Amino acid sequence: CAPCIAEMPAIQAVYSDPAYAGRIEFFGVDPNDSYYNFSLFRNVYHQELGLTFPLVHDMGQIVRGTYGVEQFPTNFIVDQTGKVRYRFGGITITTLREAIETLLDEPP
């Protein structure tokens, strides 16, 4: 979707920032599109946009159901224990960095 694509450069910028190397993980999860459309995006448009974070297809809509995703995009930031700490609709680079820094500053 257009709002999802619009936020991807911000996510990519944080994902590729050397300051976070080995400290955080990113996953783009598609619970909505057919596998054909997902594959087309992953194999063509993902590369054209210069994105390197991994994309996965939620064929069974497990993520969507478990986390109550109703709008796209929806972004979750999960702490080291697996607890969802932040949930955002569209996200900006500033909001993403602030949330990540808050969690990284916490003791393990």
Side-chain angles (χ1 to χ4, degrees), residues 34-69:
S34 69
Y35 189 76
Y36 173 81
N37 287 341
F38 165 76
S39 295
L40 181 64
F41 184 84
R42 182 189 61 203
N43 297 328
V44 178
Y45 301 114
H46 189 257
Q47 293 173 6
E48 288 177 0
L49 292 169
L51 306 175
T52 59
F53 57 88
L55 297 178
V56 294
H57 188 254
D58 185 21
M59 190 173 297
Q61 297 192 350
I62 304 300
V63 172
R64 187 176 189 174
T66 301
Y67 293 97
V69 175

Side-chain angles (χ1 to χ4, degrees), residues 69-88:
V69 175
E70 296 178 10
Q71 70 178 28
F72 298 97
T74 298
N75 298 278
F76 297 97
I77 300 179
V78 180
D79 68 16
Q80 294 177 16
T81 68
K83 180 179 178 185
V84 173
R85 298 285 297 276
Y86 296 95
R87 177 186 176 126
F88 302 102

